[in-house]
Amino acid sequence: MGKIISIANQKGGVGKTTTAVNLAAALGVLEKKVLLIDADPQANATSGLGIDIETVEIGTYQLLEHTKKAEEAIMDTDSPNLELIPSHIDLVAIELELVDVERREYMLKEALLPIKSKFDYILIDCAPSLGLLTLNALTASDSVLIPIQCEYFALEGLGKLLNTIKSVQKIHNEHLSIEGLLLTMYDSRLRLSNQVVEEVKKHFNDMVFETIIQRNVRLSEAPSYGESIIKYDAASKGANNYLSLAEEIIKKSN
């Protein structure tokens, strides 16, 4: 049975999509069958894998509406063992459209049930908010991975996210666990980066991944070529970081 992991943090710019795309690609390279679901109306994970957003006809929107089946929404990508359910700007409207729908928090979970066993990992790239889209992702997930930027306000908003996770556990999904906190955009030369690492580890101990994602120019260049870092520059620090994270997650799952 596949493991569903949401990648969530309501703060923007913490490396959510970078992590979703590159972790998915790294798991695929390590011979796991992976599905990436783009649940962000900005559709950056979709374009980051080289898909032209304008050509998307079936994606997360139709899945949440239950007008199409998950199998119909799945697209191939150029990455080994990695498939994608794309996003589109239409997804912006879904929160309003689902507002009166019964069991609206379970729409994604129900849509994924028929395909869950076909994948080793299903990763969901969440929108930078704690709205209905993210709620659907958390309700459908086995665990949540939280990227945290090694910056001054790193822990700001984290309490809010952890409270949301707690209430999802209480009301919608008692099996939801925290996969781990991932430190991103780390620069070893900055004292601040090192202070953030220390502080996060002090507060959260074992919940923090050993792998730290370092600041890396190649990593920020890759999406503009519509490629994962593994494909764009397999020898880069960024590629090594995400392969190491993928290995850590596989080890945890076994």
Side-chain angles (χ1 to χ4, degrees), residues 91-147:
L91 199 53
V92 166
I94 201 77
E95 308 226 345
L96 288 172
E97 288 173 26
L98 290 182
V99 106
D100 297 324
V101 174
E102 219 175 296
R103 289 176 60 79
R104 58 180 185 264
E105 296 90 353
Y106 298 89
M107 300 300 268
L108 187 58
K109 182 178 186 154
E110 287 163 10
L112 295 179
L113 277 176
I115 61 159
K116 190 176 178 185
S117 59
K118 295 180 183 170
F119 295 92
D120 296 309
Y121 292 95
I122 297 176
L123 302 185
I124 306 174
D125 184 29
C126 294
S129 75
L130 292 177
L132 194 52
L133 267 173
T134 299
L135 203 52
N136 258 278
L138 295 176
T139 302
S141 295
D142 298 299
S143 64
V144 53
L145 186 157
I146 305 169

Side-chain angles (χ1 to χ4, degrees), residues 1 10 17 19 23 33 37 57 66 81 118 128 142-144 169 174 197 202 217:
M1 199 61 161
Q10 78 274 25
T17 301
T19 295
L23 174 58
K33 206 163 163 13
I37 299 173
E57 284 172 17
H66 286 191
N81 301 315
K118 295 180 183 170
D142 298 299
S143 64
V144 53
Q169 287 165 331
E174 60 179 354
V197 171
K202 190 174 77 191
V217 175

